[in-house]
Amino acid sequence: SRTRAEAALFYAAALGGPVEVLSERPLIVKLPNFASPAECASLRRRAVRATTRSTVVSVDDAKAENDYRTSRTRWLDDASVPPGLSERAAAIAELPLENAEKWQVAAYEPGAEYRLHTDTIPAFNELAPGGRHATVLLYLDAPDAGGATVFPALGLAVAPEPGTAIYFRNAVEPVSDPFAMDPHPDAAHAGAPVRAGAKTIATKWFHPVPFPDGPDDGRS
């Protein structure tokens, strides 16, 4: 693992610009200018067609709508997003692009939120691609009020800024077995309610092995 200073140097070099390391464990890095205004506008145009209510995944891998998460979602494959954006995320995650899920674009209207959660849960270890090792969350715009990404255990609240991304690790490290990841309790976060205006984000999750097929070792 890297120290805070080492992480700042590494991710600044990977991004090609200054970054801010918000936490060392779990690792959380703020990445200003991760995406250009044109790239954000392109993704926002696609988000207009995000009409599917966002779901949450339960311990039995079932997906369901509830009041826990009230945004609307659309999935985009790498060919549907601006060129280079997915590769940029993979460079930050230090994992091959084949280990990543599609981009998930989520639109939050006034009052919409995503309550406290972790991006990986123990049940994901039983899936072929394992759990979500890391998250790249990109802000495509900023609401007039509210909508921060909050990490309560760390006392962090990241306000949305167009083009800024946050990168964070979801598991306790070091990870000796990619299929036995323990969610880091301090990586639990929430999307605070949008109080005025609207918020749009694009998220890419990275797994320890290729997604969606994973290794051919009998896991399911």
Side-chain angles (χ1 to χ4, degrees), residues 37-122:
E39 289 171 331
C40 291
S42 175
L43 288 170
R44 284 199 307 273
R45 286 194 294 271
R46 289 164 171 79
V48 169
R49 297 192 290 275
T51 57
T52 302
R53 174 71 179 271
S54 300
T55 59
V56 295
V57 181
S58 62
V59 294
D60 59 357
D61 198 34
K63 296 181 180 180
E65 297 178 9
N66 60 29
D67 292 337
Y68 206 80
R69 188 183 189 194
T70 51
S71 59
R72 296 194 176 276
T73 296
R74 186 181 183 202
W75 292 91
L76 298 173
D77 60 30
D78 294 322
S80 300
V81 304
L85 189 69
S86 298
E87 290 78 6
R88 203 174 308 151
I92 292 295
E94 300 178 75
L95 287 167
L97 192 52
E98 66 182 2
N99 288 27
E101 298 180 38
K102 295 180 180 180
W103 286 94
Q104 185 194 79
V105 179
Y108 290 77
E109 299 175 349
E113 65 178 324
Y114 193 174
R115 297 176 188 171
L116 189 66
H117 65 282
T118 56
D119 281 0
T120 197
I121 59 175

Side-chain angles (χ1 to χ4, degrees), residues 10 25 31 38 60 66 101 106 108 120 129 133 158 174-175 178 184:
F10 176 85
R25 286 183 179 272
L31 307 164
D60 59 357
N66 60 29
E101 298 180 38
Y108 290 77
T120 197
H133 178 263
V158 182
V175 176
H184 199 303

Side-chain angles (χ1 to χ4, degrees), residues 23-29 68 114-121 132-135 137 149-156 158 166-173 182-191 205:
S23 170
E24 188 175 335
R25 286 183 179 272
L27 179 66
I28 306 174
V29 186
Y68 206 80
Y114 193 174
R115 297 176 188 171
L116 189 66
H117 65 282
T118 56
D119 281 0
T120 197
I121 59 175
R132 288 169 168 168
H133 178 263
T135 299
L137 188 159
T149 303
V150 181
F151 295 83
L154 300 171
L156 291 176
V158 182
I166 53 174
Y167 168 70
F168 53 95
R169 304 265 179 85
N170 297 308
V172 175
E173 296 184 287
D182 293 319
H184 199 303
D186 293 350
H189 57 285
W205 290 287

Side-chain angles (χ1 to χ4, degrees), residues 131-146:
R132 288 169 168 168
H133 178 263
T135 299
V136 175
L137 188 159
L138 170 62
Y139 301 106
L140 303 180
D141 52 21
D144 297 324

